[in-house]
Amino acid sequence: MKDRTYDLEERLINFVLLVDGIIEKLPSTRLANHLSGQMIRSSTSPALNYGEAQAAESQRDFIQKMQVVLKELRETKVCLKIIHKKKFLINGDILSVLRENEELLAIFAKSIKTAKSKLSN
């Protein structure tokens, strides 16, 4: 059986690379440059914080770190949506990245919910 932790870590790393692919295709406008900087930070943060969550000192610490992952994924999603609405890129380029972002959001929201339920038991 595969190590699911590793799979999720790899998926987050791959997400960074997908977002970087978007960033590299953006035009050099003030808005695009600003969003690029934001997305560099917000898209790399989930992978890094997920790594920290794996070494959490307690269930509460784990939840807190996972909530940071979720927050940063949401920030990346908003940046991607702005890029999409501004029509900086062809739909196909960004829609697949938005789909992956949505899937990751769902995974981490569920994981946090599960971890919180374990606190009350």
Side-chain angles (χ1 to χ4, degrees), residues 26-42:
L26 290 175
S28 185
T29 67
R30 288 194 309 215
L31 178 59
N33 291 337
H34 176 72
L35 291 171
S36 295
Q38 285 296 118
M39 283 196 307
I40 287 169
R41 289 182 293 280
S42 66

Side-chain angles (χ1 to χ4, degrees), residues 8-73:
L8 197 48
E9 181 177 285
E10 278 299 304
R11 196 162 170 183
L12 288 168
I13 291 168
N14 289 336
F15 180 68
V16 171
L17 301 177
L18 288 172
V19 172
D20 181 60
I22 296 293
I23 290 168
E24 293 299 324
K25 292 177 186 175
L26 290 175
S28 185
T29 67
R30 288 194 309 215
L31 178 59
N33 291 337
H34 176 72
L35 291 171
S36 295
Q38 285 296 118
M39 283 196 307
I40 287 169
R41 289 182 293 280
S42 66
S43 69
T44 56
S45 178
L48 302 172
N49 280 289
Y50 181 71
E52 285 189 28
Q54 298 313 300
E57 296 176 10
S58 67
Q59 188 72 359
R60 289 186 195 283
D61 187 35
F62 174 79
I63 291 166
Q64 188 274 330
K65 286 174 175 36
M66 294 292 275
Q67 286 174 324
V68 171
V69 170
L70 195 60
K71 176 180 129 344
E72 296 293 335
L73 285 169

Side-chain angles (χ1 to χ4, degrees), residues 1-15 47 50 54 100 104 107-108:
M1 187 165 128
K2 286 186 175 183
D3 180 1
R4 295 183 89 106
T5 301
Y6 177 77
D7 288 346
L8 197 48
E9 181 177 285
E10 278 299 304
R11 196 162 170 183
L12 288 168
I13 291 168
N14 289 336
F15 180 68
Y50 181 71
Q54 298 313 300
E100 177 64 2
L104 289 167
I107 290 166
F108 282 94

Side-chain angles (χ1 to χ4, degrees), residues 79-91:
C79 289
L80 290 168
K81 286 174 73 174
I82 293 168
I83 290 166
H84 179 64
K85 284 188 180 268
K86 183 67 176 168
K87 298 186 186 334
F88 280 132
L89 302 173
I90 298 167
N91 283 346

